[in-house]
Amino acid sequence: MSEIVYPHNYLYGWTGIVSVATFIAGLLAILEGAGIVTGIYILPDIPGGCILILLSAVFGTAYHKGRTDRPGWISFSYIASLFLLIFALCSVLIQGGNYLAVIMEGEEADALTIISSSFIWAAIIAIPLYVGVSKLLYKCSCSGDRCE
Amino acid sequence: MKDIRILLSGNPNVGKTTLFNALCGVHQHTGNYPGVTVDIKEGKRQINNHNIIVSDLPGTYSLSAFSPDEQVARDALLTSNPDSIVQIIDATNIERNLFLTTQLLEIGIPMVIALNMCDLADEQGISIDIECLEKCLKVPVVRIVAREGEGIDKLTDAIISVTEKKTACKHREIEYPHSITTHLSEIGDYLSSSASLLGNLSPKYAAIRLMEGDEHLEKMLHDNGLVIPFIDKCDPAERDGIAEDVLLARYRTAEEIMTCSVKCTMGRVMPADLIDQVLTHRIFGIPIFLSCMWFTFQLTFSASAPFAVAIELIFGYFTEAINSIEMNPFIRSFLADGIIGGIGSVLVFVPSIFIMFLLLSILEDTGYLARAAFVMDRFMHSMGLHGRSFIPFLMGFGCNVPAIMATRTLQSRADRIITIITIPFMSCAARLPVYVLFAGVFFGAVAGNVIFFLYILGIVVAIVTALAFRRFVFKGEPSPFIMELPPYRKPSGTAAGIHMWYKGREYLKRAGIVIFGGVLVVWALASLPAGVEYGSAESLAGSLGQLLQPMFTPLGFNWQLVVALIFGFIAKEVVVGSLGTLYGGEDILESSLAADPTLSPAIALTFMVFVLLYLPCVAALGVIKQEIGSLKWTAIAVGYGIITAYIVSFITLHLASFIMGA
């Protein structure tokens, strides 16, 4: 099976970087949640960390598929980055809601907790990938096998 | 004013209800998955001296009905004698829709075709020659986008026009092979002499239906002593062959029409195909779905928190204002503890319910929930449930009543009964306030996780129940699952907002009638006999609770929780309202629960589990009886729910006490 050479090699390579970054973000959230690592500015969140590791596996699959299956790479990295962005937005809303509720109850809260979720940091890294692969997805679907 | 009765027919998930809403200016629930409509809904629209009465039928792929909802559609089309039929066709998938068209054309009733989702077809490079389609079918075809209300006026004009010119009934005829047409004439001629038995069916069309193998019609004719020429002489293999020939003739016609009128200018790979590779992946499909649900419940709890606090503050202000006014203590208690305490403790959860419905609507609108049903099918099948049961289960998260009705899409009675018995374990929106209250008070930062756990527990109990019933009662495999995956769509903010509002409004209505009534009864029981301390153990509520409390001692419930459970049978929303009243008001409910020495996180979790699993509400029970049609099975559903709730709650208490104690 011959390997495909992409005109967007940097984007393909970025998938690998996003996969590793998402895994690290998930791991840190779990370690913080379990109380093993403390002091880093990441929200302790064991279920959230597991979801990040799941998304990291989807990015990893995209990277792996990309060696021989270009549409496969596009679809897996598109979905993983889309869900990561949506989940990051949800995290902001969740933390924002909690923050507002605490303030309204007359207690003190740290506004920076709103952006402390590890989803946000992973999502920032995934934005270029999302932009790139969503364009490729459209071309891929509209022009048959011309996914470039 | 002339009445025009029209039937909206079409395949599942082509936008019938969306068109119905656009035509009649109503807001019936629509969904981006098949099987949302399971019975006939009626609406009206007045145009140019015409009173158009619209009936929205359940979706069906053909007039050979298999499931109860398809039978409803078939019976309406064949027996109700409407002025015209409007078939809604999905413009992105014309060929499949045309099979039903070939059957509808033969009924002989004036017909209009509404070509829906034309915007999506344009996006996908599908070019449809409307004129050619009209010529091929000899039926007016109107291009519409029902979601945007585009083309609705032209459609109503076409409906009025075909209804007034009855000549429009000369539709395209299906070209059957010669071997069939000879027998069709023979049977048709014979049936002409018994036309009165056929009701609205023409003898020719009745002959076609008999050739297709319509057992219902054949039985009716036999019951009336008729010997049907040719049909009665055929052996089963020959009958199958004829039915197949009729089927092939229809497919050939559909293909011919498609070839003449539709051109696809783009590649065959659609974005949906690429996206489905991941979302329906055998490994990633289920975890991705669970992740979505986890975020849904986290958002439900957290994003609603500021609104809930605001409502609490407002009701706290009202309570203070009433307490500061000089008045009879009994009236003050009635206003502060009964009305404000009861209603306030229910209304405080309205934001959570609105947000949950909004999020579920968005998920549904994108087409993702249908994919979720698909990925869950293998899992559900292995647990003895039908893949299609997943849709009623999802609806059950909103309200069990429509979810139980949605089981009509299941063809097998065994699959239906199993699904109906398990649906009450799906945590409906009315139970959410109980979770939000207890999880918030006793589990603080991990409240969202606890709520997620409860929803998952409900699903697990449903699966175990299905497995047990499949293994011991309804032995055998569930019937195979075939579901058309709907297109992906950008969720519409307006549609999601409307859906959220209508669902949320139902909750508010119940809060206004059932819950208010229930809460007042609880307040009266908590205040009487005269002279006792409000909500004390000496009150009637206290006596009732204490009388039944020994039954719940193994679960650790105090008498207040027992009273709330009893009233929760009327409607689950009453549980929190009752507690608000018994604990002396909404504004102090959370602090009172937290300070109650008879409660602990383990007992709180046990109580939530019991609320999740015990009796469905009165309304759901009524629908179970109606849908199963058996008192025995309704009693089994009730008994099974109570026993399961007790056992699972008992295990939860001991496990939770062990873990939390440790």
Side-chain angles (χ1 to χ4, degrees):
Chain A
M1 226 182 285
S2 62
E3 286 205 356
I4 297 172
V5 179
Y6 297 118
H8 302 292
N9 252 339
Y10 65 91
L11 204 57
Y12 172 63
W14 195 248
T15 312
I17 293 170
V18 175
S19 176
V20 173
T22 312
F23 181 81
I24 293 170
L27 194 66
L28 287 175
I30 292 171
L31 293 176
E32 270 267 9
I36 297 167
V37 170
T38 50
I40 49 170
Y41 206 77
I42 277 188
L43 193 76
D45 182 6
I46 295 176
C50 294
I51 292 172
L52 277 167
I53 287 174
L54 166 74
L55 290 178
S56 155
V58 181
F59 280 123
T61 309
Y63 187 80
H64 177 71
K65 275 186 176 280
R67 290 180 185 175
T68 52
D69 172 11
R70 187 172 180 76
W73 162 59
I74 292 169
S75 54
F76 274 77
S77 43
Y78 173 75
I79 287 296
S81 52
L82 174 69
F83 273 76
L84 185 51
L85 291 175
I86 293 171
F87 290 163
L89 178 68
C90 290
S91 297
V92 172
L93 292 173
I94 290 167
Q95 296 310 322
N98 288 337
Y99 171 77
L100 265 180
V102 172
I103 293 289
M104 287 169 76
E105 280 170 346
E107 292 169 29
E108 277 187 20
D110 181 3
L112 285 176
T113 52
I114 296 172
I115 52 160
S116 66
S117 166
S118 44
F119 278 94
I120 295 165
W121 305 113
I124 290 170
I125 297 170
I127 289 172
L129 181 65
Y130 173 74
V131 173
V133 289
S134 49
K135 283 181 184 166
L136 284 175
L137 179 82
Y138 178 74
K139 285 184 184 175
C140 193
S141 56
C142 292
S143 318
D145 56 358
R146 282 174 293 168
C147 308
E148 289 154 22
Chain B
M1 185 83 67
K2 188 186 171 190
D3 281 354
I4 296 179
R5 287 191 56 251
I6 64 163
L7 299 183
L8 295 186
S9 175
N11 287 179
N13 203 41
V14 292
K16 290 180 294 301
T17 307
T18 311
L19 176 59
F20 176 76
N21 289 343
L23 274 172
C24 305
V26 291
H27 294 286
Q28 284 293 341
H29 172 49
T30 59
N32 191 10
Y33 55 81
V36 175
T37 308
V38 290
D39 55 8
I40 300 173
K41 294 187 179 81
E42 282 211 347
K44 283 180 185 173
R45 178 182 177 130
Q46 289 182 352
I47 293 176
N48 303 335
N49 287 329
H50 291 93
N51 187 26
I52 302 180
I53 303 159
V54 188
S55 299
D56 178 23
L57 305 185
T60 182
Y61 289 102
S62 78
L63 296 182
S64 310
F66 294 104
S67 57
D69 60 326
E70 286 177 340
Q71 282 167 19
V72 167
R74 182 202 59 190
D75 292 347
L77 286 163
L78 298 183
T79 60
S80 68
N81 199 20
D83 293 304
S84 63
I85 295 171
V86 177
Q87 187 197 354
I88 298 100
I89 286 186
D90 174 0
T92 63
N93 203 345
I94 288 190
E95 190 173 0
R96 192 219 339 109
N97 288 243
L98 284 174
F99 180 77
L100 178 65
T101 315
T102 61
Q103 293 190 308
L104 296 177
L105 290 173
E106 287 179 323
I107 298 177
I109 291 171
M111 189 171 157
V112 176
I113 285 179
L115 203 57
N116 194 20
M117 302 187 210
C118 288
D119 52 342
L120 289 179
D122 291 343
E123 274 175 27
Q124 293 177 14
I126 299 168
S127 153
I128 301 159
D129 185 339
I130 304 252
E131 272 183 36
C132 175
L133 198 58
E134 283 184 334
K135 276 183 196 164
C136 287
L137 295 166
K138 297 182 185 169
V139 160
V141 178
V142 182
R143 190 189 144 96
I144 64 163
V145 181
R147 263 157 70 95
E148 310 293 332
E150 195 183 307
I152 304 299
D153 291 340
K154 281 187 186 169
L155 180 67
T156 47
D157 290 346
I159 292 167
I160 293 169
S161 168
V162 294
T163 311
E164 288 181 342
K165 292 186 260 171
K166 291 275 181 184
T167 49
C169 309
K170 288 180 181 168
H171 302 143
R172 178 193 174 115
E173 294 199 353
I174 312 299
E175 289 168 20
Y176 295 110
H178 181 66
S179 56
I180 289 182
T181 46
T182 321
H183 298 300
L184 278 179
S185 314
E186 186 189 349
I187 301 168
D189 291 344
Y190 174 75
L191 292 177
S192 302
S193 57
S194 314
S196 59
L197 285 176
L198 301 174
N200 297 320
L201 301 186
S202 69
K204 188 184 169 193
Y205 182 59
I208 295 170
R209 292 207 56 79
L210 287 168
M211 296 288 262
E212 271 187 304
D214 186 333
E215 290 172 2
H216 181 70
L217 180 61
E218 197 177 325
K219 186 175 177 297
M220 188 270 287
L221 294 174
H222 283 156
D223 289 348
N224 282 283
L226 266 68
V227 179
I228 310 161
F230 178 66
I231 295 283
D232 286 347
K233 289 177 193 159
C234 291
D235 59 45
E238 211 173 343
R239 291 287 304 275
D240 288 347
I242 295 163
E244 201 179 313
D245 284 345
V246 173
L247 207 71
L248 286 174
R250 290 194 194 287
Y251 277 119
R252 225 175 6 251
T253 309
E255 203 181 328
E256 271 171 30
I257 298 166
M258 167 87 180
T259 315
C260 130
S261 54
V262 181
K263 299 273 179 295
C264 189
T265 56
M266 285 190 185
R268 299 292 297 167
V269 186
M270 304 311 297
D273 298 331
L274 291 171
I275 293 169
D276 281 343
Q277 267 191 41
V278 191
L279 295 186
T280 60
H281 192 269
R282 63 191 172 88
I283 297 169
F284 294 124
I286 292 178
I288 287 176
F289 170 63
L290 291 177
S291 305
C292 289
M293 295 320 286
W294 185 79
F295 266 102
T296 301
F297 296 120
Q298 290 288 330
L299 261 179
T300 298
F301 183 79
S302 299
S304 64
F307 301 103
V309 172
I311 294 172
E312 270 179 12
L313 291 174
I314 292 167
F315 275 86
Y317 170 79
F318 284 147
T319 311
E320 266 180 36
I322 286 170
N323 285 335
S324 63
I325 300 169
E326 284 282 321
M327 65 173 88
N328 180 309
F330 195 73
I331 295 173
R332 178 185 292 145
S333 166
F334 172 73
L335 292 174
D337 303 325
I339 293 183
I340 293 178
I343 296 297
S345 54
V346 174
L347 285 186
V348 80
F349 300 103
V350 168
S352 315
I353 284 163
F354 270 74
I355 287 175
M356 191 180 76
F357 281 131
L358 178 72
L359 296 172
L360 287 178
S361 302
I362 291 170
L363 279 177
E364 183 190 309
D365 215 19
T366 56
Y368 179 59
L369 285 191
R371 267 79 187 174
F374 178 80
V375 295
M376 294 299 284
D377 175 52
R378 195 158 48 111
F379 178 66
M380 295 188 79
H381 210 79
S382 63
M383 294 296 166
L385 276 165
H386 191 270
R388 203 178 266 267
S389 305
F390 188 70
I391 298 287
F393 276 2
L394 277 176
M395 292 172 81
F397 287 134
C399 177
N400 286 178
V401 172
I404 291 163
M405 291 175 74
T407 58
R408 290 180 193 179
T409 55
L410 296 168
Q411 292 167 11
S412 141
R413 179 167 162 81
D415 290 341
R416 285 193 76 204
I417 292 179
I418 295 176
T419 309
I420 286 173
I421 287 177
T422 47
I423 280 174
F425 298 131
M426 297 298 111
S427 201
C428 67
R431 288 173 239 197
L432 186 63
V434 183
Y435 309 154
V436 174
L437 173 67
F438 279 86
V441 170
F442 291 96
F443 294 93
V446 292
N449 294 341
V450 171
I451 296 172
F452 180 65
F453 160 77
L454 287 163
Y455 278 82
I456 295 294
L457 179 70
I459 296 169
V460 170
V461 171
I463 287 167
V464 173
T465 301
L467 202 59
F469 274 81
R470 178 65 71 186
R471 188 157 188 156
F472 301 112
V473 186
F474 299 105
K475 291 177 184 169
E477 285 289 304
S479 49
F481 175 46
I482 302 167
M483 190 176 95
E484 189 182 340
L485 292 180
Y488 285 106
R489 290 182 200 145
K490 243 183 236 170
S492 145
T494 319
I498 288 172
H499 186 202
M500 174 190 80
W501 167 245
Y502 277 87
K503 287 278 184 186
R505 199 179 64 170
E506 281 305 305
Y507 178 83
L508 283 173
K509 271 187 192 168
R510 283 164 71 98
I513 304 164
V514 182
I515 304 167
F516 185 68
V519 162
L520 284 188
V521 172
V522 176
W523 171 83
L525 289 175
S527 307
L528 296 170
V532 296
E533 190 188 338
Y534 175 78
S536 66
E538 291 73 38
S539 65
L540 285 180
S543 306
L544 178 70
Q546 287 177 94
L547 181 73
L548 297 172
Q549 201 253 344
M551 286 164 62
F552 293 93
T553 306
L555 304 182
F557 298 167
N558 61 27
W559 67 263
Q560 289 94 332
L561 297 186
V562 174
V563 172
L565 285 175
I566 295 165
F567 285 95
F569 175 55
I570 303 166
K572 293 287 179 287
E573 294 93 332
V574 181
V575 172
V576 171
S578 305
L579 289 172
T581 307
L582 292 172
Y583 275 96
E586 180 276 330
D587 53 330
I588 57 161
L589 176 57
E590 289 185 8
S591 53
S592 305
L593 285 172
D596 189 335
T598 62
L599 298 178
S600 68
I603 293 173
L605 185 64
T606 308
F607 183 70
M608 288 187 276
V609 170
F610 197 86
V611 169
L612 164 72
L613 302 174
Y614 88 124
L615 290 173
C617 67
V618 175
L621 214 56
V623 178
I624 289 176
K625 165 74 179 63
Q626 172 196 309
E627 294 297 316
I628 301 185
S630 153
L631 203 60
K632 183 186 98 178
W633 277 108
T634 311
I636 289 172
V638 170
Y640 183 81
I642 294 173
I643 293 167
T644 308
Y646 204 94
I647 293 171
V648 178
S649 302
F650 185 77
I651 295 168
T652 305
L653 178 68
H654 287 274
L655 266 181
S657 301
F658 175 74
I659 294 166
M660 288 168 193

mmCIF file of all heavy atoms in Angstrom, chain B residues 254-270:
data_model
loop_
_atom_site.group_PDB
_atom_site.id
_atom_site.type_symbol
_atom_site.label_atom_id
_atom_site.label_comp_id
_atom_site.label_asym_id
_atom_site.label_seq_id
_atom_site.Cartn_x
_atom_site.Cartn_y
_atom_site.Cartn_z
ATOM 1 N N ALA B 254 -41.035 3.969 -10.760
ATOM 2 C CA ALA B 254 -40.345 4.978 -9.943
ATOM 3 C C ALA B 254 -38.991 5.321 -10.569
ATOM 4 O O ALA B 254 -38.600 6.487 -10.644
ATOM 5 C CB ALA B 254 -40.157 4.449 -8.524
ATOM 6 N N GLU B 255 -38.301 4.302 -11.054
ATOM 7 C CA GLU B 255 -36.979 4.512 -11.649
ATOM 8 C C GLU B 255 -37.076 5.333 -12.933
ATOM 9 O O GLU B 255 -36.277 6.235 -13.164
ATOM 10 C CB GLU B 255 -36.347 3.147 -11.920
ATOM 11 C CG GLU B 255 -34.834 3.207 -11.992
ATOM 12 C CD GLU B 255 -34.250 1.833 -12.294
ATOM 13 O OE1 GLU B 255 -34.852 0.823 -11.863
ATOM 14 O OE2 GLU B 255 -33.211 1.795 -12.965
ATOM 15 N N GLU B 256 -38.101 5.006 -13.730
ATOM 16 C CA GLU B 256 -38.296 5.748 -14.996
ATOM 17 C C GLU B 256 -38.532 7.227 -14.711
ATOM 18 O O GLU B 256 -37.949 8.108 -15.343
ATOM 19 C CB GLU B 256 -39.540 5.218 -15.717
ATOM 20 C CG GLU B 256 -39.270 4.058 -16.645
ATOM 21 C CD GLU B 256 -40.585 3.461 -17.125
ATOM 22 O OE1 GLU B 256 -41.587 4.202 -17.242
ATOM 23 O OE2 GLU B 256 -40.621 2.237 -17.374
ATOM 24 N N ILE B 257 -39.403 7.492 -13.754
ATOM 25 C CA ILE B 257 -39.732 8.893 -13.422
ATOM 26 C C ILE B 257 -38.482 9.607 -12.910
ATOM 27 O O ILE B 257 -38.184 10.735 -13.276
ATOM 28 C CB ILE B 257 -40.858 8.944 -12.361
ATOM 29 C CG1 ILE B 257 -42.126 8.294 -12.909
ATOM 30 C CG2 ILE B 257 -41.129 10.380 -11.922
ATOM 31 C CD1 ILE B 257 -43.176 8.000 -11.857
ATOM 32 N N MET B 258 -37.745 8.898 -12.095
ATOM 33 C CA MET B 258 -36.515 9.450 -11.512
ATOM 34 C C MET B 258 -35.508 9.787 -12.620
ATOM 35 O O MET B 258 -34.936 10.876 -12.652
ATOM 36 C CB MET B 258 -35.971 8.377 -10.553
ATOM 37 C CG MET B 258 -34.575 8.592 -10.077
ATOM 38 S SD MET B 258 -34.585 9.608 -8.628
ATOM 39 C CE MET B 258 -32.825 9.649 -8.334
ATOM 40 N N THR B 259 -35.309 8.854 -13.545
ATOM 41 C CA THR B 259 -34.338 9.061 -14.620
ATOM 42 C C THR B 259 -34.722 10.266 -15.466
ATOM 43 O O THR B 259 -33.867 11.051 -15.870
ATOM 44 C CB THR B 259 -34.287 7.805 -15.524
ATOM 45 O OG1 THR B 259 -34.244 6.674 -14.673
ATOM 46 C CG2 THR B 259 -33.093 7.799 -16.445
ATOM 47 N N CYS B 260 -36.015 10.426 -15.695
ATOM 48 C CA CYS B 260 -36.472 11.521 -16.560
ATOM 49 C C CYS B 260 -36.344 12.875 -15.875
ATOM 50 O O CYS B 260 -36.047 13.872 -16.511
ATOM 51 C CB CYS B 260 -37.898 11.222 -17.004
ATOM 52 S SG CYS B 260 -39.062 12.550 -16.790
ATOM 53 N N SER B 261 -36.530 12.923 -14.573
ATOM 54 C CA SER B 261 -36.669 14.248 -13.960
ATOM 55 C C SER B 261 -35.561 14.674 -13.007
ATOM 56 O O SER B 261 -35.526 15.825 -12.585
ATOM 57 C CB SER B 261 -38.006 14.310 -13.209
ATOM 58 O OG SER B 261 -38.080 13.242 -12.311
ATOM 59 N N VAL B 262 -34.659 13.776 -12.659
ATOM 60 C CA VAL B 262 -33.639 14.152 -11.663
ATOM 61 C C VAL B 262 -32.242 13.971 -12.212
ATOM 62 O O VAL B 262 -31.912 12.948 -12.803
ATOM 63 C CB VAL B 262 -33.803 13.294 -10.374
ATOM 64 C CG1 VAL B 262 -32.763 13.691 -9.334
ATOM 65 C CG2 VAL B 262 -35.195 13.444 -9.809
ATOM 66 N N LYS B 263 -31.427 15.010 -12.017
ATOM 67 C CA LYS B 263 -30.028 14.943 -12.438
ATOM 68 C C LYS B 263 -29.173 15.309 -11.229
ATOM 69 O O LYS B 263 -29.468 16.268 -10.513
ATOM 70 C CB LYS B 263 -29.732 15.968 -13.548
ATOM 71 C CG LYS B 263 -30.541 15.775 -14.825
ATOM 72 C CD LYS B 263 -29.850 14.807 -15.769
ATOM 73 C CE LYS B 263 -30.672 14.608 -17.035
ATOM 74 N NZ LYS B 263 -31.970 13.953 -16.818
ATOM 75 N N CYS B 264 -28.105 14.523 -11.012
ATOM 76 C CA CYS B 264 -27.203 14.823 -9.908
ATOM 77 C C CYS B 264 -25.905 15.345 -10.496
ATOM 78 O O CYS B 264 -25.287 14.686 -11.326
ATOM 79 C CB CYS B 264 -26.952 13.569 -9.085
ATOM 80 S SG CYS B 264 -26.071 13.930 -7.585
ATOM 81 N N THR B 265 -25.528 16.554 -10.120
ATOM 82 C CA THR B 265 -24.365 17.176 -10.756
ATOM 83 C C THR B 265 -23.097 17.043 -9.913
ATOM 84 O O THR B 265 -22.043 17.441 -10.329
ATOM 85 C CB THR B 265 -24.633 18.674 -10.988
ATOM 86 O OG1 THR B 265 -24.975 19.242 -9.729
ATOM 87 C CG2 THR B 265 -25.728 18.880 -11.993
ATOM 88 N N MET B 266 -23.219 16.517 -8.720
ATOM 89 C CA MET B 266 -22.034 16.439 -7.859
ATOM 90 C C MET B 266 -21.604 14.999 -7.630
ATOM 91 O O MET B 266 -22.253 14.063 -8.066
ATOM 92 C CB MET B 266 -22.326 17.102 -6.523
ATOM 93 C CG MET B 266 -22.344 18.606 -6.620
ATOM 94 S SD MET B 266 -22.404 19.305 -5.008
ATOM 95 C CE MET B 266 -22.565 21.029 -5.387
ATOM 96 N N GLY B 267 -20.509 14.836 -6.885
ATOM 97 C CA GLY B 267 -19.991 13.502 -6.589
ATOM 98 C C GLY B 267 -20.963 12.720 -5.736
ATOM 99 O O GLY B 267 -21.888 13.272 -5.163
ATOM 100 N N ARG B 268 -20.735 11.437 -5.628
ATOM 101 C CA ARG B 268 -21.654 10.580 -4.893
ATOM 102 C C ARG B 268 -21.390 10.618 -3.384
ATOM 103 O O ARG B 268 -22.221 10.230 -2.595
ATOM 104 C CB ARG B 268 -21.536 9.129 -5.379
ATOM 105 C CG ARG B 268 -21.885 8.948 -6.838
ATOM 106 C CD ARG B 268 -23.348 9.185 -7.120
ATOM 107 N NE ARG B 268 -24.217 8.233 -6.452
ATOM 108 C CZ ARG B 268 -25.525 8.395 -6.362
ATOM 109 N NH1 ARG B 268 -26.095 9.484 -6.851
ATOM 110 N NH2 ARG B 268 -26.263 7.487 -5.772
ATOM 111 N N VAL B 269 -20.176 11.023 -3.002
ATOM 112 C CA VAL B 269 -19.868 11.026 -1.576
ATOM 113 C C VAL B 269 -20.467 12.274 -0.941
ATOM 114 O O VAL B 269 -20.192 13.389 -1.359
ATOM 115 C CB VAL B 269 -18.334 11.033 -1.347
ATOM 116 C CG1 VAL B 269 -18.028 10.886 0.133
ATOM 117 C CG2 VAL B 269 -17.685 9.938 -2.138
ATOM 118 N N MET B 270 -21.317 12.093 0.043
ATOM 119 C CA MET B 270 -21.947 13.232 0.705
ATOM 120 C C MET B 270 -21.251 13.469 2.048
ATOM 121 O O MET B 270 -20.701 12.536 2.629
ATOM 122 C CB MET B 270 -23.435 12.940 0.957
ATOM 123 C CG MET B 270 -24.212 12.574 -0.292
ATOM 124 S SD MET B 270 -23.957 13.714 -1.654
ATOM 125 C CE MET B 270 -24.615 15.206 -0.969
#
